[in-house]
Amino acid sequence: MCGIVGVVGNTNATDILIQGLEKLEYRGYDSAGIFVLGGAENHLVKAVGRIAELSAKTAGVEGTTGIGHTRWATHGKPTEDNAHPHRSETERFVLVHNGVIENYLEIKEEYLAGHHFKGQTDTEIAVHLIGKFAEEDGLSVLEAFKKALHIIRGSYAFALVDSQDPEVIYVAKNKSPLLIGLGQDYNMVCSDAMAMIRETNQYMEIHDQELVIVKADSVEVQDYDGNSRERASYTAELDLSDIGKGTYPYYMLKEIDEQPTVMRKLIQAYTDESGQVVVDPAIIKAVQDADRIYILAAGTSYHAGFASKKMLEELTDTPVELGISSEWGYGMPLLSKKPLFIFISQSGETADSRQVLVKANEMGIPSLTVTNVPGSTLSREANHTMLLHAGPEIAVASTKAYTAQIAALAFLAKAVGEANGNAKAQAFDLVHELSIVAQSIESTLSEKETIEAKVRELLETTRNAFYIGRGQDYYVAMEASLKLKEISYIQCEGFAAGELKHGTIALIEEGTPVLALLSDPVLANHTRGNIQEVAARGAKVLTIAEENVAKDTDDIVLTTVHPYLSPISMVVPTQLVAYFATLHRGLDVDKPRNLAKSVTVE
Ligand code: F6R
């Protein structure tokens, strides 16, 4: 989703902005722009499409300070006029913005009569408002910005410059992520540490409703009334090599391949020297104190919640309910007396989940965030955090985060179960079972050529497909179908195998691809019955089965793993199915249309 990068006091400002924007590309965007000042003249450059197109327009653009933006359209189409940065009426003030201003039309009506707007964005209204207060009403830049911040409602991360003053960038945030990066004799601002990691690993957090005055040699944090706030910096653990593609053609393939390593990293992170599972005792107690766990998440993370439900229930003896964050934000169901909310989020920034967390905090409901990003908003604002240790996930389609989420929740379930004396938890040798999972994934990954050939045969020209499974395999089918549709644009549904005949089987016709998942010894035979039903109606079937239930005729056979962990190994061939189907269609695997990696708007 939209990204911001800014730098003050560095003669390479243009390069830093372009490189920073390139690092934000993975988040998804449709246009981009930069404003550079502090050189012989000021430059505003915008382009629709990729950063390469923006970069091609920056010959001769030089300065010491600048702000840049990747835009994912919300208000108005992806055009150069709508691309950020936006300028005030006199073009003196220049602003980039992530988020959504809820009252922008009211502001336009109430304050900006007679102003001329180039595009349709809420951001342009915000910068006109700041410009009006400074130029028409005679306030200082800081006072004008503060006055505007008191009026603007909604989510935002703003970076503002005065084109007459290259010494300072003003930033403010509410509900949208923004960080300060501390350089040697210069400073940066950014919506994602990833865009600054080349320059610095020293960061400073900004909290909601704070305004920061960023100069080359100083960073001053204030609240909107001008009171100073102390803020310490911290060192980020990101490594530049983590965010490179290496020799891989696509991040997605790299991230699929990293999954065995991620399983081993999780073992390291959640065990002590004697191999005992270790989870923060405060988190164990939070689960013990709860009479019901509510998992809130979106998309792939929501599917990881489903895949972990049975394991959590059986090992912690606590019922688990799932909620789609965007639904719960506007309507909480009747909750149990002692709920615990678990937020699963790769990015830790998903606006829908955050909306629920804000409500949970208001209601005094204890919360745990399971995330890949330390210091992310959901991590900071929940009572507890468990990290995924998956390393940065850059491809828009989530792969290693999904498998890491289930594995991390397995550590939680095991730790709580052991503390409660749950017999199943005691018998569940998680470390050993996860090493088998890692080996199983490795052996699937060694079959890429076979999988690619089968995918070519099954999916090369189809417009639609189905995944079916029962029990845990149904949950994997949901995730497998999301993966396939989001990057290959093949319309795909994940179905509970037995449910198909209650209506949807009407869509099966000659040649319709049906991919069946089989891991459970009790349920596999029933799913095989459903396979017969679709095959009899002309479906082309591909079966993915664990060895313990496999037949000679199955297409892809996986090493058997512990049933609680089967979603981790079963999903891997389906990730490869999505990857190859996309590749065969000549599409960009890492950057599917219309999608963003970090969904920071509602
Ligand atoms: C799909 C995908 C999305 C995310 C969803 C939630 O591959 O990645 O469905 O899972 O947008 O994002 P997080 O996990 O960052 O909260």
Side-chain angles (χ1 to χ4, degrees):
M1 203 139 274
C2 302
I4 288 177
V5 58
V7 57
V8 53
N10 190 310
T11 45
N12 281 330
T14 307
D15 287 349
I16 290 177
L17 293 180
I18 293 291
Q19 284 170 13
L21 293 178
E22 280 168 354
K23 284 282 162 279
L24 295 175
E25 281 193 282
Y26 79 101
R27 296 165 66 100
Y29 69 104
D30 38 47
S31 53
I34 56 172
F35 181 76
V36 178
L37 64 164
E41 52 183 305
N42 295 343
H43 302 266
L44 177 69
V45 190
K46 299 185 188 188
V48 174
R50 295 280 144 102
I51 301 301
E53 283 153 59
L54 178 72
S55 177
K57 293 177 158 185
T58 57
V61 174
E62 283 173 9
T64 55
T65 296
I67 50 177
H69 189 264
T70 49
R71 173 172 187 256
W72 188 83
T74 54
H75 296 77
K77 290 197 162 140
T79 60
E80 280 195 20
D81 278 342
N82 284 329
H84 303 209
H86 287 289
R87 291 185 289 191
S88 59
E89 181 76 3
T90 63
E91 304 192 344
R92 177 175 156 192
F93 296 98
V94 190
L95 182 77
V96 291
H97 163 220
N98 287 355
V100 175
I101 299 174
E102 286 159 13
N103 57 339
Y104 77 108
L105 289 176
E106 293 156 41
I107 292 175
K108 189 175 174 187
E109 229 166 73
E110 191 171 336
Y111 297 94
L112 302 176
H115 278 232
H116 304 90
F117 299 96
K118 295 196 167 64
Q120 290 85 45
T121 67
D122 49 348
T123 309
E124 202 179 354
I125 300 219
V127 70
H128 275 242
L129 186 68
I130 297 163
K132 175 200 149 46
F133 291 149
E135 294 193 286
E136 295 170 27
D137 302 354
L139 297 184
S140 71
V141 185
L142 191 58
E143 290 308 319
F145 192 25
K146 271 193 242 165
K147 185 165 178 184
L149 291 170
H150 278 293
I151 293 168
I152 290 168
R153 282 201 318 270
S155 59
Y156 52 79
F158 287 130
L160 169 78
V161 289
D162 174 353
S163 59
Q164 298 172 357
D165 180 6
E167 306 291 315
V168 52
I169 300 180
Y170 302 88
V171 304
K173 86 175 262 318
N174 188 43
K175 298 188 200 164
S176 292
L178 199 65
L179 286 170
I180 307 292
L182 305 172
Q184 282 288 334
D185 306 323
Y186 69 97
N187 286 314
M188 296 185 68
V189 302
C190 196
S191 52
D192 185 329
M194 209 87 90
M196 301 190 277
I197 193 69
R198 216 181 277 265
E199 277 75 34
T200 180
N201 63 355
Q202 291 300 306
Y203 298 117
M204 200 184 263
E205 266 177 33
I206 314 174
H207 300 164
D208 279 354
Q209 310 213 348
E210 283 183 342
L211 183 158
V212 191
I213 302 153
V214 189
K215 297 186 179 169
D217 55 0
S218 69
V219 175
E220 192 189 335
V221 184
Q222 299 185 354
D223 65 18
Y224 289 176
D225 295 321
N227 303 306
S228 282
R229 295 228 173 128
E230 287 296 313
R231 191 63 34 82
S233 63
Y234 65 92
T235 307
E237 282 163 26
L238 270 178
D239 182 338
L240 196 52
S241 64
D242 284 347
I243 58 172
K245 250 193 323 225
T247 54
Y248 281 90
Y250 287 101
Y251 280 106
M252 183 181 180
L253 191 61
K254 173 174 177 265
E255 289 160 7
I256 291 172
D257 273 1
E258 281 170 354
Q259 291 176 109
T261 310
V262 172
M263 292 301 120
R264 292 178 184 122
K265 277 195 185 161
L266 276 156
I267 293 175
Q268 268 176 11
Y270 289 110
T271 54
D272 63 15
E273 280 149 17
S274 63
Q276 292 305 302
V277 169
V278 183
V279 170
D280 179 353
I283 299 179
I284 296 177
K285 181 157 186 320
V287 179
Q288 287 175 319
D289 287 348
D291 63 0
R292 190 170 287 253
I293 293 170
Y294 295 87
I295 293 183
L296 281 311
T300 289
S301 299
Y302 177 63
H303 298 155
F306 269 114
S308 313
K309 175 177 160 69
K310 181 179 156 87
M311 167 177 70
L312 279 165
E313 286 186 334
E314 290 191 0
L315 301 187
T316 70
D317 298 303
T318 313
V320 175
E321 208 170 294
L322 270 288
I324 296 180
S325 296
S326 55
E327 287 294 311
W328 281 43
Y330 291 100
M332 291 242 189
L334 183 63
L335 300 175
S336 66
K337 292 205 165 49
K338 291 191 281 172
L340 169 70
F341 278 19
I342 299 185
F343 293 88
I344 308 182
S345 175
Q346 187 282 130
S347 63
E349 300 294 349
T350 300
D352 292 326
S353 295
R354 191 191 180 226
Q355 195 185 10
V356 183
L357 176 55
V358 167
K359 288 217 167 107
N361 284 342
E362 281 164 12
M363 293 162 75
I365 297 171
S367 54
L368 160 69
T369 291
V370 179
T371 182
N372 202 22
V373 185
S376 56
T377 307
L378 289 172
S379 161
R380 284 201 315 269
E381 296 183 0
N383 300 112
H384 310 283
T385 296
M386 280 185 78
L387 292 176
L388 299 179
H389 299 283
E393 191 180 66
I394 311 276
V396 165
S398 182
T399 51
K400 62 178 179 172
Y402 169 87
T403 46
Q405 284 162 346
I406 301 167
L409 287 168
F411 280 103
L412 176 64
K414 162 86 178 160
V416 174
E418 267 187 347
N420 288 349
N422 173 299
K424 279 188 182 163
Q426 282 160 344
F428 180 38
D429 185 350
L430 176 56
V431 172
H432 173 67
E433 298 298 348
L434 264 186
S435 343
I436 296 178
V437 168
Q439 285 161 23
S440 163
I441 299 175
E442 269 157 0
S443 95
T444 304
L445 295 175
S446 69
E447 297 295 323
K448 283 192 194 110
E449 277 178 20
T450 319
I451 296 174
E452 171 163 20
K454 289 186 188 285
V455 172
R456 194 182 287 282
E457 200 192 319
L458 189 74
L459 299 174
E460 195 162 25
T461 54
T462 190
R463 282 175 55 86
N464 67 345
F466 290 89
Y467 269 100
I468 59 170
R470 287 173 180 248
Q472 304 270 85
D473 294 330
Y474 165 44
Y475 300 142
V476 178
M478 287 158 61
E479 169 56 13
S481 76
L482 175 63
K483 211 79 332 175
L484 184 60
K485 70 184 141 195
E486 71 176 320
I487 57 172
S488 75
Y489 317 143
I490 295 170
Q491 185 170 10
C492 185
E493 282 190 67
F495 247 84
E499 184 65 10
L500 214 57
K501 61 183 169 298
H502 296 289
T504 309
I505 200 166
L507 295 177
I508 303 290
E509 51 190 34
E510 202 55 43
T512 305
V514 175
L515 297 94
L517 304 173
L518 303 139
S519 72
D520 185 307
V522 178
L523 300 175
N525 277 340
H526 300 283
T527 304
R528 289 200 190 276
N530 302 126
I531 292 174
Q532 295 305 324
E533 289 161 8
V534 292
R537 285 155 182 87
K540 272 205 285 185
V541 179
L542 180 138
T543 49
I544 302 175
E546 277 195 4
E547 258 167 7
N548 61 335
V549 299
K551 298 202 165 161
D552 290 348
T553 48
D554 285 326
D555 294 287
I556 300 169
V557 177
L558 313 182
T559 317
T560 303
V561 302
H562 192 286
Y564 289 150
L565 305 176
S566 77
I568 303 181
S569 59
M570 286 297 276
V571 85
V572 177
T574 75
Q575 296 168 341
L576 290 170
V577 166
Y579 174 78
F580 287 122
T582 309
L583 211 59
H584 295 160
R585 282 163 192 247
L587 299 167
D588 186 337
V589 174
D590 286 338
K591 298 187 202 104
R593 68 184 178 209
N594 305 339
L595 292 182
K597 181 70 185 162
S598 182
V599 186
T600 48
V601 296
E602 191 192 306

